[in-house]
Amino acid sequence: MANSKVAIVFTGGTISMKVDPRIHAAIPALSSEEILAMVTNIENFADIEIINFGNYPSPHITPNMMMDLSRLVKKTISRDDITGVVVTHGTDTLEETAYLLDLTINSKKPIIVAGAMRNSSELGYDGSSNLSAAICTAISPKSNGKGVLVVMNNEVNAASEVTKTNTLSLDTFKSPEFGPLGVVDNDEVIYYRDIISKEFIDTDKIENKVLLLKSAPGIGSDIINYSIDCGYKGIVIEGLGRGNVPPSMVDGIVNSISKGIPVVLVSRCPTGRVLDTYGYEGGGKHLRQLGVIFGGNLPGQKARIKLMLSLGMTDDMGTIRNIFEKNMYK
Ligand code: ASP
């Protein structure tokens, strides 16, 4: 039987890096062909098509570049000869790109995002094992209909749930709320559970001016008001605990909502959703009465991607609220 065909879109990241002896630090250096040559025996499993998007450290990837990547992956996955697409990416912003691809592409075929924690000059480079596991996940029929997946360290996680949890560990990508979807055991993908839901935001545009702000004791409204003066179109606040903010932030929130600028609330806690439990000034109940949108259990960086895409599609506050709150609150 002929091999399945997988397109690998290379974007850069540590998987493409080695240490430059002049500066003693890792920089993008490997070509796609050099990376693929280290994935030994992969020709026995899949035919690979290389697509070069670029060779960027992931802190250099902008939301507009993520949208360009989304268009490229959408075009590629719609080809009849392609079984699945793998995207290589730096791990620092991998969860944002993976989530954006998940929200903007409505295909049943597997789209896998993978990277590496150790560059190719380090002992135990994990780029080749992560890439082979990603390719095996992409050719497995069991991966169909699961949205965009992140495969690292032989674990399969949903792009909508996964986050980078450790600066160093190979086992850094975790879904702290729900756990992994499955594992890659040699070339076999074993799923323990299905995805919880698949969301789709039908937009080709993204709004770049969305602020992400973490709350902490004594944080005031000045930065919120300043961002409004600078033309920001949306604000995500990582609130305290169950979804509360210091009273000193309330003025800024009121100012924002009165100007039609949506404020989305998530929690700075790593797990658990936000809810309108507390009635004091700045508590969740008060924020909800002011018109704050509740962002469920998303981490701030992913809520920001969702708000950027929502604002790309519409500036209607009710529609944006529905995108965030449907299925989540009574
Ligand atoms: N700083 C690197 C990047 O995100 C880290 C990595 O790829 O693991 O490009």
Side-chain angles (χ1 to χ4, degrees):
M1 207 171 73
N3 275 344
S4 304
K5 189 164 182 181
V6 173
I8 307 184
V9 182
F10 289 86
T11 76
T14 295
I15 194 168
S16 72
M17 294 192 196
K18 63 182 177 194
V19 171
D20 184 326
R22 288 166 305 173
I23 57 170
H24 306 288
I27 53 167
L30 302 179
S31 69
S32 309
E33 287 77 11
E34 285 172 312
I35 299 169
L36 202 53
M38 288 187 267
V39 189
T40 45
N41 296 326
I42 199 64
E43 62 282 358
N44 298 329
F45 295 89
D47 294 340
I48 306 294
E49 176 174 321
I50 292 175
I51 301 179
N52 289 309
F53 180 82
N55 211 348
Y56 304 102
S58 78
H60 294 196
I61 303 258
T62 64
N64 285 336
M65 290 158 78
M66 292 178 194
M67 288 304 278
D68 288 341
L69 184 63
S70 169
R71 282 178 212 107
L72 175 62
V73 172
K74 212 182 282 182
K75 202 172 97 198
T76 309
I77 201 80
S78 69
R79 280 171 37 196
D80 288 342
D81 62 324
I82 294 292
T83 300
V85 172
V86 172
V87 175
T88 67
H89 199 285
T91 58
D92 290 352
T93 64
L94 186 149
E95 69 192 85
E96 274 131 305
T97 294
Y99 189 44
L100 182 138
L101 296 177
D102 190 49
L103 287 174
T104 55
I105 304 176
N106 209 6
S107 169
K108 292 266 178 259
K109 291 189 200 171
I111 298 167
I112 319 295
V113 187
M117 289 300 288
R118 295 187 187 147
N119 70 68
S120 62
S121 306
E122 285 180 279
L123 282 175
Y125 171 64
D126 55 330
S128 5
S129 57
N130 286 340
L131 198 47
S132 63
I135 294 165
C136 290
T137 308
I139 58 174
S140 167
K142 292 186 220 155
S143 303
N144 288 335
K146 290 200 161 36
V148 174
L149 301 170
V150 172
V151 173
M152 294 278 295
N153 201 39
N154 287 337
E155 222 171 71
V156 186
N157 284 281
S160 55
E161 299 169 5
V162 77
T163 193
K164 185 174 180 178
T165 63
N166 188 290
T167 58
L168 169 75
S169 169
L170 303 191
D171 197 21
T172 180
F173 280 91
K174 295 282 172 205
S175 301
E177 197 84 54
F178 308 112
L181 296 180
V183 292
V184 186
D185 183 345
N186 293 308
D187 60 323
E188 190 191 353
V189 189
I190 302 166
Y191 285 100
Y192 302 135
R193 68 172 178 94
D194 206 349
I195 51 169
I196 290 166
S197 65
K198 164 76 178 126
E199 290 182 74
F200 175 58
I201 300 180
D202 194 3
T203 181
D204 189 43
K205 284 209 228 93
I206 190 160
E207 173 55 60
N208 279 283
K209 290 190 89 83
V210 174
L211 177 71
L212 172 59
L213 184 59
K214 192 173 196 134
S215 52
I219 295 262
S221 289
D222 46 1
I223 197 80
I224 301 177
N225 291 330
Y226 179 66
S227 72
I228 295 167
D229 291 346
C230 290
Y232 275 73
K233 299 287 189 291
I235 297 171
V236 174
I237 297 178
E238 278 189 14
L240 309 168
R242 188 66 151 150
N244 312 302
V245 299
S248 45
M249 291 178 87
V250 169
D251 274 356
I253 292 171
V254 170
N255 184 22
S256 177
I257 295 171
S258 73
K259 294 193 163 69
I261 299 166
V263 177
V264 172
L265 179 73
V266 292
S267 178
R268 67 175 196 175
C269 294
T271 53
R273 66 173 183 165
V274 289
L275 199 69
D276 51 355
T277 304
Y278 292 98
Y280 51 78
E281 190 187 5
K285 189 90 181 175
H286 182 212
L287 298 178
R288 200 162 180 83
Q289 279 157 357
L290 295 176
V292 169
I293 295 169
F294 280 42
N297 46 18
L298 286 173
Q301 63 273 21
K302 284 165 104 163
R304 178 171 171 265
I305 292 290
K306 195 171 185 177
L307 183 55
M308 291 171 116
L309 291 170
S310 304
L311 284 164
M313 189 176 80
T314 179
D315 54 11
D316 180 68
M317 197 81 91
T319 310
I320 295 173
R321 177 183 301 282
N322 192 39
I323 291 171
F324 277 90
E325 296 188 353
K326 68 167 184 278
N327 307 331
M328 211 172 296
Y329 302 101
K330 281 185 245 160

